[in-house]
Every structure is written in C-alpha cells, then in structure tokens.
Amino acid sequence: MAHRVAGLLWRVLLAAALVCGIGLLPWLSRTDPALTVLKARSADRDPTPQVLADIRAQLGLDNGPLHLLGLWLGGLPRGDAGRSWLNGTQVTPTVVQALGVSLLLVTVALVVAAATAALVCARTLWLGAHRRLDGRRAGGGASAMLAALPEFLTASVLVTVVGVQLGWLPALGWYGPRWTVLPALALGLPAGAVLGRLLDDLLPGAFAEPWAQAAEARGLPGRTVAAKAVRRCVPALLPNLGLFVVGLTGGSVAVEQIYDIPGLGRTTLQAALAQDLPVLQAGTLALLLLAATATCLAALAVRLLTGPALRDGTLDSLHRPRRSTRSTLPLVHGGLLTAVVVLGLLRDPLALDTGARLQPPSWAHPFGTDALGRDLLARIGHGALDTLLVALAVSVTALVVGVLLGLLPRLSGPLVDTVNAVPPVLAALLVTAVAGSGPATSAIAVATVSWAALAAHTSSLLRQERATSHLTATRALGANRWYLLRHELLPAILPSVTRHALLRLPGVALALASLGFLGLGTQPPAPEWGLLLAENQPYAERAPWAVLAPAAALALLGALAVSAADGVRWRPRRRARPRTTTRTGQPSRARELVEAG
C-alpha cells in the first residue's frame, strides 16, 4: 500500500512540474507573450508599445507567471481552465471536444492497427499452429518498410489517391464516420506494423511452451493453439499499447492538419506555437490524465490475462535461447542503401537549375529533381550522413536510458507516462526555451521522449521474466540478485528491446527532420531526408517522385534495421555459477546442486 501511495505522489509531482513548466514557457524563453498573442490574433497589426501594453493588461501578464498559474490552478476544481488568450472562449469545452475527436480517431486507428498486426503475424501463427516454426526464416521486410513510412506521407497519398482521384472516401473535414477512415488508416498502419513486429518476436517462445505441446497432444485445432499463443504474448505488449494510445492522441498533429481534423494534437500544437498558455496547459493535462488512465487499464488487463501465474512465479519464459539465423537480407538492403549514398555523394546537392524544376527520373537525374531543380539523388546521398548518424546516436541513447530506467519500474512508470504525454514538438519548444535554438535542439528533444517506449517494454518483459518458474528455481538454489540480473534477466530481455529500438530508428530520423522543418533544428537547405519529404510534400500530386525518393530511402533504412535486428539473438553459453557460501566459508548446498546440474 505504501508503494502505491508513493507512486501516486510521484506521478502527481511529475504532472505538476510539467504543467508549471509549460506555464513558465514564455518567461523561460525570454519572449514577450503579448507580442506572440498579437501576431496570432492579427499579423498585420503593428506591435506598438500601447498595443502591447493593452494586451498585457487584458491578460494580466504584468502580475507575473506565478499569479497566472495560481489563477489557472484555482479554477481547475470547478472545471474552469480559463479562457483562451487568442479568442477569449472557454478552454474546457474546447479541450474536451478536441479530446473526444482524438479518442474517436484513435479508437478506429487501433482497429486498423490490430488488423495490420494480425497480418504481420499471420505467417508465424500459421507455422506455429502446425508446429513448423523450427524452419522459419527471418522476414518482416514489408512490415519494416510500412513502419518506417511517415504518417503524413501515408496521409497525403491516401488523400490524393483515394480521396481526390478515386473519390471513394471524403478527404477533408470531420463530419461523420466516413471521415474517420482515411486518417485512421494513416495512423493505424505504421502503429500496427510496429506492434505486429513486437508480437511476432514473442510468438515463437509461446509456441515452444509445454502447454502448446500438451494442446497438440490432446488434438486441439491449430487455430485454438494460435489464439492461446496470442493471449499468452499480449500481456507483455499491453504497456506499449497504452503508450500508443497516448502517443497517437497527442502526436497525430500532421494527420490532423492534412485532414483538417479538430483533434487534441492539432489544438495543443497551435496553442504551443501561439503561446496560448491556458489551452496548452489544459491540453497537456488532458494528455496526462489519458496516460494515467491507459496505464491503469493496461495493468488491470495484464492481471486479468496472466491470473495468479504472475504473482506465484509459475510462468514460462518467452525468451528462450535462439541462435542467430543467417540471412542475406541485411546485405541486400545495406548494399542498396550504400549504393544510393555513394552515387549521391558524387553529385552536387545544392546546384540549382530552375529550367529543370520537378523533372521526372532520367539518366541525368535518376531520382528526378525537386521544386528548385536540385538533384534528388545528390540530396539523399549527402543527407544520409547527418540523418543516419544523429538518428543512430539518439536511438542508442534512448536504448541505454530506456533499459536502465526500465529496470526500476516504480521510478520509471510514472515518468514514462509523463514523458509520453509530451508531443515531440512541445518537448522541442521546452528544450528551446531552456537551452536555446540550435542544431542539437531537435536531437535533445527527440532523445528526451523516445526512451519512454523502450523503458515500458523493458519493464513489461522484466515483470514477465521475473515470474518464470526457472528463475524461481535459480533463486532457490542460492543465486543473488546480481547473478539473476546478469545471467538470467538481461540476456532474456535485451535482444527483444534492442530489436524494438532498431525498429524505431527510421521513426527517430523522421521526428528529427520534422522538428527541423518547424524551425527547431536543422534548417534548409540542409539535405536531410525528413526535410526533403516536408519540402516536396506540396508537389506530391504533380511530382510524386520528389516525395517517393526520400520516402523509399527511409523505408529501405527500416528494412535494413529490422533485418539486421533479426540477428540480435541470445547465444546460449555456459553460465557462471552463483557464488554462495555458508557462514563458515565452505561452499553451500545450493552451490553443490548447481555444480552437479
């Protein structure tokens, strides 16, 4: 009970610190909130001293940030989150309505994600149901490419092809169920590919457990065994599913912008850019409450699915020793990517040719040209170094921090929920306010939030692994915590978490570039891949190659990351013996049993 109270207090303290930090954002960044509000209200009006003084008096800015924060917090018990600084409307109805729109969109997107994950795992489920997993070859290239596709690119393609050219579904607005299909596909397809890969990674361990062999001996149908295998693996993924819910709600800004959806992500971003603090604080608080609710529901579902086995330590390990499978896919993907980069480095990425604007692929320009006549192959080749190195550094940092904090779930659990409720754009604004703008701003911002999913994955797998019977037996033989961590727990969970980190590598690269496009990191004319996507997005219908070329490079990076991750396996080796002695200094009976075994 004491641990639960301490966890609740820790969660409330983190939420209060985040909300207070947002309330101090204009003063931390040393910008004039009155000037920002004036630009958002009327960009053509001159910012004279008298006009700015009137805005400060109207908003109460002269009283200081602490006074404004106290007034805002004082109204929350009454359900009053203040009034918008831009239009003077009540904040609470606006945020509640935006949250309802986002939750409906995310619900449909989760249905799409579940269907996508089922397709990703279909082959493994069929092989496992027929006891043929021993000869399974590593795959997943298609799902890796799907997971690497940026959401705004998927959304734009769906709008152009399905909404405009074919006219099958409405492309803009938010007026009914039919308007949710295209944005839900744009959000659900990449998320389902990631969840499907994580589930596909656990299924072989479930099919190798004794219950699966007993079910086969009893003659149970293969589909029944496959369904039970999915049920066995789902508890390890539920914390990540909760993170997806919050991440899609607050992070679907691009999709909501493309489809003109009045969701919470778009509302929060607009408030952040305009420094409309009441709306921004209320939107962030809504995301924090959603994160806490999703975490509680995920924990409850885990207890219901695992039953007393998690408490009594009678589970079987889903991470059995598996040798690395030899595959030529990493060599093929790596060779193609290297060839593209080398050929691009031989060309000038900044050479302008206004007479060759948006030219299709040809011998002179194998990937075509952009809106300024620059060679796309050259820009992709020269942008690879910055894109890949920075993304790799951020991914490694996120992996290390995620694993270390994941080993301390009581400390990291509330921290993960708080960090996951912060969209990368808002994190970048906070980093810019504290550290200033610069090339490292986007890297720091993405690294600040990208470790949360890996920490949640580590904690979930660790909780499952600690409840296994073999770990209970090893502990009974006298093994201490350090021995269990080094020789049992980390070898079991690190390969899965590392593969998860590699799967997120293309997404990290895209998040870095998207922040740079918003003015919070790398700036044009730098040939970064994400910037290439954003710069050429307006010409997607007229010159699709300008968008498809950098998108294909990102997809190839995703396929390379996942195919290489399949080689990250736990190689069985001779285990070290736990050093346990009696009080007299003689080897204990537990050590004799280990040596005999």
Side-chain angles (χ1 to χ4, degrees):
M1 186 64 183
H3 295 304
R4 294 181 180 179
V5 174
L8 179 60
L9 292 176
W10 175 229
R11 191 183 301 274
V12 171
L13 179 61
L14 289 173
L18 177 60
V19 173
C20 292
I22 292 173
L24 299 175
L25 182 60
W27 289 270
L28 291 175
S29 58
R30 294 174 295 277
T31 59
D32 188 357
L35 180 60
T36 307
V37 172
L38 176 63
K39 290 181 179 179
R41 288 179 177 179
S42 178
D44 299 331
R45 192 174 180 182
D46 294 332
T48 62
Q50 183 60 40
V51 171
L52 295 179
D54 292 341
I55 294 178
R56 293 191 190 95
Q58 179 185 357
L59 301 179
L61 295 176
D62 293 332
N63 296 323
L66 297 181
H67 176 74
L68 293 176
L69 185 61
L71 291 178
W72 185 82
L73 292 175
L76 289 181
R78 306 188 304 271
D80 182 11
R83 292 182 176 272
S84 170
W85 286 1
L86 301 184
N87 50 34
T89 59
Q90 288 286 344
V91 171
T92 302
T94 302
V95 172
V96 170
Q97 183 179 2
L99 178 61
V101 170
S102 294
L103 288 179
L104 177 59
L105 176 59
V106 169
T107 300
V108 182
L110 288 178
V111 175
V112 175
T116 305
L119 291 176
V120 172
C121 301
R123 176 171 171 265
T124 301
L125 288 172
W126 188 89
L127 292 175
H130 292 81
R131 311 300 296 176
R132 298 181 184 178
L133 276 176
D134 291 340
R136 186 185 72 151
R137 291 181 174 271
S143 62
M145 291 185 178
L146 183 60
L149 288 178
E151 294 170 351
F152 71 83
L153 174 62
T154 308
S156 299
V157 171
L158 290 175
V159 165
T160 303
V161 177
V162 180
V164 178
Q165 295 182 354
L166 299 178
W168 290 349
L169 291 168
L172 295 177
W174 187 260
Y175 305 104
R178 296 180 68 240
W179 278 260
T180 65
V181 177
L182 292 183
L185 287 173
L187 290 173
L189 289 175
V194 174
L195 288 174
R197 288 294 306 174
L198 296 179
L199 180 59
D200 190 73
D201 191 49
L202 296 176
L203 283 173
F207 280 114
E209 290 182 343
W211 66 263
Q213 302 173 6
E216 180 187 14
R218 292 178 56 190
L220 291 181
R223 60 179 179 274
T224 302
V225 179
K228 292 184 177 297
V230 172
R231 184 182 184 276
R232 171 68 180 89
C233 298
V234 162
L237 301 180
L238 282 175
N240 280 95
L241 184 61
L243 295 183
F244 268 99
V245 171
V246 182
L248 290 179
T249 304
S252 57
V253 178
V255 175
E256 291 178 356
Q257 289 278 59
I258 291 173
Y259 289 97
D260 195 21
I261 298 174
L264 186 59
R266 181 184 179 189
T267 301
T268 305
L269 174 63
Q270 291 175 347
L273 295 178
Q275 292 192 0
D276 191 355
L277 295 189
V279 178
L280 179 58
Q281 288 171 315
T284 304
L285 184 61
L287 288 174
L288 289 171
L289 294 176
L290 179 62
T293 303
T295 300
C296 294
L297 292 177
L300 179 61
V302 168
R303 290 184 178 276
L304 292 177
L305 289 175
T306 55
L310 190 65
R311 181 188 68 246
D312 298 337
T314 57
L315 291 176
D316 287 320
S317 177
L318 292 174
H319 310 281
R320 298 174 181 273
R322 285 185 287 169
R323 295 187 178 277
S324 301
T325 56
R326 295 183 178 181
S327 175
T328 59
L329 285 178
L331 297 178
V332 173
H333 297 150
L336 288 175
L337 192 59
T338 302
V340 169
V341 172
V342 171
L343 291 176
L345 290 175
L346 301 178
R347 299 167 175 260
D348 186 359
L350 300 178
L352 300 178
D353 186 0
T354 55
R357 296 174 64 251
L358 299 177
Q359 292 295 311
S362 61
W363 285 109
H365 304 286
F367 286 178
T369 61
D370 64 7
L372 297 178
R374 296 173 295 192
D375 186 79
L376 284 173
L377 176 59
R379 293 183 65 75
I380 290 175
H382 284 266
L385 187 62
D386 291 338
T387 302
L388 298 181
L389 287 182
V390 177
L392 185 61
V394 172
S395 298
V396 170
T397 303
L399 175 61
V400 174
V401 174
V403 170
L404 292 178
L405 290 179
L407 296 176
L408 305 170
R410 292 176 181 172
L411 171 67
S412 63
L415 190 59
V416 166
D417 296 338
T418 305
V419 169
N420 189 63
V422 181
V425 173
L426 180 55
L429 291 174
L430 292 173
V431 172
T432 303
V434 176
S437 180
T441 298
S442 57
I444 297 174
V446 175
T448 301
V449 299
S450 58
W451 60 268
L454 300 177
H457 195 194
T458 301
S459 297
S460 178
L461 296 180
L462 192 67
R463 188 182 305 110
Q464 297 274 322
E465 195 68 22
R466 280 174 172 168
T468 55
S469 54
H470 82 274
L471 199 73
T472 303
T474 307
R475 189 184 298 112
L477 290 175
N480 55 33
R481 293 183 177 181
W482 179 243
Y483 175 88
L484 294 175
L485 181 64
R486 287 184 57 194
H487 300 282
E488 299 291 344
L489 296 175
L490 287 181
I493 65 175
L494 273 182
S496 293
V497 180
T498 303
R499 290 191 290 272
H500 185 184
L502 286 173
L503 184 63
R504 289 181 173 272
L505 177 62
V508 169
L510 185 66
L512 290 167
S514 62
L515 293 179
F517 184 71
L518 292 174
L520 300 173
T522 305
Q523 299 295 307
E528 194 177 27
W529 290 357
L531 284 178
L532 299 184
L533 280 171
E535 289 172 349
N536 295 302
Q537 187 64 38
Y539 313 100
E541 186 174 357
R542 176 184 172 187
W545 55 84
V547 176
L548 292 178
L554 275 173
L556 190 59
L557 173 63
L560 172 62
V562 174
S563 58
D566 285 327
V568 181
R569 299 294 179 188
W570 173 19
R571 292 180 178 272
R573 64 178 183 177
R574 186 177 180 182
R575 297 177 180 175
R577 296 165 178 161
R579 301 177 62 181
T580 56
T581 58
T582 62
R583 294 182 179 179
T584 59
Q586 299 298 322
S588 67
R589 178 59 178 167
R591 179 172 179 177
E592 294 175 1
L593 290 174
V594 173
E595 293 177 349

